[in-house]
Amino acid sequence: MESLKTLLETLRQNDEIAQKFQAIETKILSILDFTDLFEILLDEIRNKFQVPYVWLTLIDAGEESGVLQFLEKSRILETNLNIVTPETFFNLIPRGTRPLLVNEDLKPFHRLFPPIKKFLVKSMAIAPITLDGQIIGSLNQADFSYLRFTPGIDTSLLEQLAVKVSLCLANVTAHEKLKFLAYHDPLTGILNRRVMETILKREFQRARRYGSPLSLVFLDIDYFKSINDRYGHDVGDQVLVHLAREIEHMIRSSDVLARFAGDEFIVILPETIAVKAISTMERIKAHLLETPLQLTDSAIPISISFGVSSIDEIADKTPEALLKEADAQLYGMKEARKS
């Protein structure tokens, strides 16, 4: 009789745990934002299962990392996220999707902890999560109790949750990529023309309202057609990407770089007078010549021409006039070079 009561109690507890996992899965399946997904997931596990520590470890796979590039600043993620190298991760975690339970010799696993957190734990559960079939990190839980995550206990529900998280990651990644492409140039990754025009209107209105300076740069690549003809369009694309990255590194965080069309780019410079904008662009022009695109057997120096307009120097006080004047200045620079 006693054994039957124990069995029934075990079944009841298991059913209760299964319902909690199902509630978490239901809550995260409709989320289409990385930050929301991780914040809600961690909070739900912590509250429903009374786990003292729940956090994420993600693998830094470089520029191609599908998750890291979309994560925004978040107070919860700042304290509950750690980024590690593939070597660090796979030296600790076997390659596979089965959760790992440990309650002995935990010191090596401290490398998975968030940098600003020091956990006093006796046992851990580490559930690998995947994206497009590749392991990208783990969902981690830890407890003060040595018995909470004892190796050998059933981890099927935890593994099932990790699978659902992985499915969510695939959905969110697809959604974030579509959202990214709506605002960014697909080749260079910088803002596209449509978004640039919206930002220009906003900055123009702000400059007029507060009487602050605003300059705009219209630039293109010299002899870009010759580069395409000589090296091919694939190399031409590399030139565009190289130029965008170099300019991004040299302008301020408050400045805006956008691709206008083809090899034409726009730089919006708030709180900047024309002479300062020209000085900035001369410095960027010199840098690009000194930092050519390196190919396997050659290097391509990038020369640019540019035109600068300022809100103080246009008669028609409109964003369109500012853009048109910078374009005219660019044309004038190119004509002067021909003569």
Side-chain angles (χ1 to χ4, degrees):
M1 188 67 177
E2 189 63 34
S3 60
L4 178 58
K5 287 183 179 179
T6 302
L7 177 60
L8 290 174
E9 177 61 21
T10 300
L11 291 174
R12 186 194 64 78
Q13 291 177 358
N14 289 343
D15 183 60
E16 185 177 304
I17 292 171
Q19 288 180 24
K20 290 179 179 179
F21 272 109
Q22 185 176 6
I24 295 173
E25 292 167 7
T26 301
K27 194 156 189 176
I28 65 173
L29 281 173
S30 61
I31 298 174
L32 290 175
D33 175 85
F34 275 116
T35 303
D36 287 347
L37 170 63
F38 289 146
E39 288 188 358
I40 291 173
L41 175 66
L42 297 179
D43 193 51
E44 286 290 303
I45 293 174
R46 190 178 294 112
N47 291 334
K48 280 190 167 54
F49 291 98
Q50 299 299 302
V51 180
Y53 302 112
V54 186
W55 76 100
L56 290 163
T57 300
L58 294 179
I59 299 170
D60 186 354
E63 294 182 0
E64 300 303 317
S65 179
V67 175
L68 296 180
Q69 63 178 319
F70 295 119
L71 284 178
E72 300 175 354
K73 288 187 177 179
S74 158
R75 180 185 58 80
I76 293 178
L77 291 182
E78 283 177 0
T79 57
N80 294 279
L81 173 67
N82 189 21
I83 312 298
V84 299
T85 65
E87 293 76 17
T88 296
F89 188 86
F90 290 113
N91 282 341
L92 293 169
I93 314 301
R95 289 183 179 269
T97 58
R98 294 290 299 275
L100 175 67
L101 305 181
V102 289
N103 62 358
E104 293 181 352
D105 191 23
L106 296 181
K107 189 172 182 180
F109 294 92
H110 290 182
R111 296 176 216 168
L112 302 180
F113 293 174
I116 63 173
K117 286 270 187 96
K118 298 299 179 185
F119 300 152
L120 298 174
V121 300
K122 296 293 182 65
S123 64
M124 291 176 58
I126 304 161
I129 52 178
T130 64
L131 179 62
D132 298 329
Q134 299 293 320
I135 295 175
I136 63 164
S138 59
L139 170 63
N140 313 302
Q141 302 178 58
D143 197 274
F144 307 121
S145 169
Y146 176 85
L147 300 175
R148 180 70 180 263
F149 301 113
T150 304
I153 64 174
D154 183 18
T155 60
S156 58
L157 290 175
L158 182 56
E159 185 173 3
Q160 178 181 312
L161 177 62
V163 169
K164 293 295 173 59
V165 172
S166 298
L167 290 173
C168 288
L169 288 177
N171 292 336
V172 176
T173 299
H175 177 76
E176 292 286 0
K177 284 180 177 178
L178 287 174
K179 189 167 68 173
F180 181 86
L181 290 174
Y183 294 96
H184 295 79
D185 171 53
L187 175 63
T188 62
I190 62 176
L191 296 176
N192 60 31
R193 176 175 176 173
R194 182 173 64 85
V195 177
M196 178 278 297
E197 290 173 345
T198 300
I199 294 174
L200 177 58
K201 289 178 182 178
R202 182 193 68 200
E203 292 299 333
F204 196 94
Q205 291 169 358
R206 181 180 298 165
R208 293 211 60 186
R209 183 181 303 119
Y210 297 106
S212 56
L214 173 67
S215 292
L216 182 141
V217 179
F218 205 131
L219 69 94
D220 68 9
I221 301 173
D222 298 331
Y223 316 113
F224 185 65
K225 183 178 183 302
S226 298
I227 294 174
N228 278 329
D229 291 344
R230 179 177 178 182
Y231 298 98
H233 288 278
D234 287 345
V235 172
D237 287 348
Q238 292 181 50
V239 168
L240 295 172
V241 172
H242 178 75
L243 177 138
R245 287 179 178 172
E246 292 301 318
I247 294 179
E248 271 195 315
H249 290 155
M250 296 194 69
I251 60 177
R252 304 166 302 181
S253 59
S254 57
D255 300 332
V256 177
L257 173 65
R259 187 179 180 191
F260 190 77
D263 66 319
E264 297 174 330
F265 294 80
I266 299 293
V267 185
I268 302 172
L269 300 159
E271 302 290 340
T272 305
I273 60 175
V275 65
K276 179 64 175 176
I278 292 171
S279 174
T280 297
M281 291 311 301
E282 291 290 358
R283 181 167 52 87
I284 289 174
K285 182 173 183 175
H287 173 78
L288 288 169
L289 288 171
E290 296 167 359
T291 316
L293 171 65
Q294 297 292 336
L295 302 177
T296 304
D297 53 359
S298 61
I300 303 177
I302 300 174
S303 173
I304 63 170
S305 295
F306 63 88
V308 174
S309 61
S310 171
I311 193 172
D312 295 329
E313 298 175 357
I314 55 173
D316 181 11
K317 301 297 185 182
T318 65
E320 294 76 17
L322 191 69
L323 188 62
K324 185 176 180 180
E325 176 61 21
D327 188 19
Q329 292 294 328
L330 169 61
Y331 179 79
M333 176 181 280
K334 284 186 170 294
E335 288 298 304
R337 190 179 61 218
K338 292 177 183 178
S339 58

